[in-house]
Amino acid sequence: MSSRSRGTALLGLAGLGGLLLVIELLPRLGLVDDAYLPPTSEIAAALADELGTAAFWQAVGDTLTGWAIGLLIAVAAGVVVGIVVGAVPVLRAATASTIEFLRPIPSVALIPLAVLLYGTDLGSVLLLVVYASFWQVLVQVLYGVADVDPIADETARSFRFSGWARVRHVLWPTALPYVFTGIRLAASVALVLAVTAELVIGAPGLGKLIAVAQTSGAVPDMYALIAVTGLLGVAINLAARVFERRSLSWHQSVRGEVPA
Amino acid sequence: MLEVQGLRKVYSSGGREVEALRDLTFTVENGDLVCLVGPSGCGKTTLLRCIAGLLQQTGGTVTLDGHQVSGPPPGLAMVFQEYGRSLFPWMSVRDNVSLPLKQKRVPRQRRDELVDKALAAVGLAGTESAYPWQLSGGMQQRVAIARAVAYEPSTLLMDEPFAAVDAQTRADLEDLVRSLWQRLNVTVLFITHDIDEAVYLGRRVIMLSSSPTVVQDEITVDLPAERDQLHTRADPRFTELRTHVYEQIQKAKRLSR
């Protein structure tokens, strides 16, 4: 690590420490009512208690299950639809306006539909998660497919590659960096929607625990659970980046500049 | 044998029509090395893409070994000017050279043999596991040539392959093409805008007019088969031939104005 990036990391930690300190001091100094914002130390104690309960781990498992299955479905569907639509110009033109219409619909607006269809089951969570993350992947894959170098494609054609071989050896590797970006974006969105669904619909998971903590006045526990969802988000993003770097070592954005 | 008969290509987009190729007729005998040279923008690349079956012509025919070309024909390999974009950056040198053979369903053992032989022939033995972008421009174009050679084509199309490399690398690569052509008994159609290169390399030189393109003139290069950068280029006959080609190209440009 260079001294500069170490400095940046230290600054980042200092900032986080500062935030925790401010949250500790605000209620202690009487600036805010500690019924609404308990000091950091109380939140930490509540978190330690939560970590010891089976219900907490069950909730983490439920949230991650909804997140993972939903993300998997969204990525698979986004990649397949993206490649098919992107590779066929007629389909691309025919679907462009539909995609632009469906994409901005907030997943949350589908909550009534989800409840109608699945009640408080996992299905509700999945519907929201898949809907929100699918577009993230699809749009990236469409960009990726459009990025295929015409010379690379002509090379493949001149060597009489089959249609499938051109997808496999030219289109897919070109689109791959975009796919990873899509997965990374979708992974974050999927977590947001998984927690939202649990919170609003009452499907089992961290979101539901947060709602329960709130209604039963366990404010430090509520903050502790919120912090856990944040930590999950950070962990997911970090894991996605590591996965991306490992798989794309040949790619320009990862390999760095090489003198020609 | 490659026969181009009355080839015509008109690009039309948005109601506007541009005639790139007007009427091209020439033949390339099996085992010949023919250079096509013409002023820039004369549709050389369009012509090559029509011959390679990558572009549908508007009129006329291209016939390769008795078969009309309507898509990329078997037994034909192409080397592009843009080597950096033609090689796949996500694959090692070996995989780049080997992939077309795999698509041709060449058995694995034979494939490895061909790849090794081709890489050795272009002087790149030992770089198999490198990625193309780790190599210099000249070496990358050697990989592209090795890929074409390993494919064992009967016809090799080269589209200004050395336009983007420096002068010294270029001289080396020219000699490489001559020696591969002599050893492999392959028909080579080499497109260039460089008159010296055309005369140095070719057994015949076909001069093209400005766009809309027709064949301007054609000469046989009666220089000895053994050529080298120093002596061939100093040969008075070389100078005569290049002067002739130069004059024809200038004439073509004047006529088009």
Side-chain angles (χ1 to χ4, degrees), chain A residues 31-179:
Chain A
L31 292 172
V32 296
D33 188 343
D34 66 0
Y36 302 126
L37 180 65
T40 308
S41 50
E42 274 182 43
I43 297 175
L47 180 60
D49 285 347
E50 286 288 350
L51 293 180
T53 66
F56 170 79
W57 291 108
Q58 176 66 42
V60 171
D62 285 338
T63 299
L64 286 180
T65 305
W67 168 80
I69 298 177
L71 183 61
L72 206 68
I73 296 173
V75 169
V79 166
V80 172
V81 174
I83 286 179
V84 172
V85 169
V88 184
V90 182
L91 276 181
R92 177 85 184 95
T95 55
S97 52
T98 314
I99 291 175
E100 286 316 306
F101 167 68
L102 290 175
R103 192 159 69 103
I105 295 178
S107 220
V108 184
L110 299 180
I111 286 178
L113 175 68
V115 174
L116 213 56
L117 287 175
Y118 300 107
T120 59
D121 289 345
L122 182 63
S124 284
V125 178
L126 290 184
L127 179 70
L128 301 188
V129 169
V130 170
Y131 190 85
S133 13
F134 170 75
W135 302 111
Q136 304 284 342
V137 181
L138 177 69
V139 169
Q140 288 298 322
V141 174
L142 288 177
Y143 283 138
V145 173
D147 196 40
V148 167
D149 192 315
I151 299 284
D153 196 45
E154 281 189 331
T155 303
R157 281 172 59 208
S158 73
F159 284 116
R160 296 165 59 84
F161 281 35
S162 65
W164 168 245
R166 277 161 60 205
V167 170
R168 165 85 183 71
H169 294 293
V170 182
L171 192 152
W172 177 244
T174 306
L176 203 55
Y178 294 86
V179 172

Side-chain angles (χ1 to χ4, degrees), chain A residues 149-152 154-155 157-162 165 169-170 173-174 250 255 258, chain B residues 49 54 72-74 76 80 82 85-86 88-91 99-100 103 133 147 151:
Chain A
D149 192 315
I151 299 284
E154 281 189 331
T155 303
R157 281 172 59 208
S158 73
F159 284 116
R160 296 165 59 84
F161 281 35
S162 65
H169 294 293
V170 182
T174 306
W250 53 269
R255 77 195 189 215
V258 174
Chain B
R49 278 175 168 66
L54 293 170
L76 182 140
F80 292 83
E82 303 91 341
R85 294 163 58 195
S86 174
F88 301 153
W90 44 85
M91 282 181 188
L99 186 60
Q103 296 303 314
W133 40 269
R147 177 171 65 185
Y151 197 66

Side-chain angles (χ1 to χ4, degrees), chain A residues 16-29 37 39-40:
Chain A
L16 188 60
L19 175 68
L20 294 177
L21 188 67
V22 169
I23 297 175
E24 177 73 27
L25 291 177
L26 283 178
R28 293 230 183 266
L29 295 172
L37 180 65
T40 308

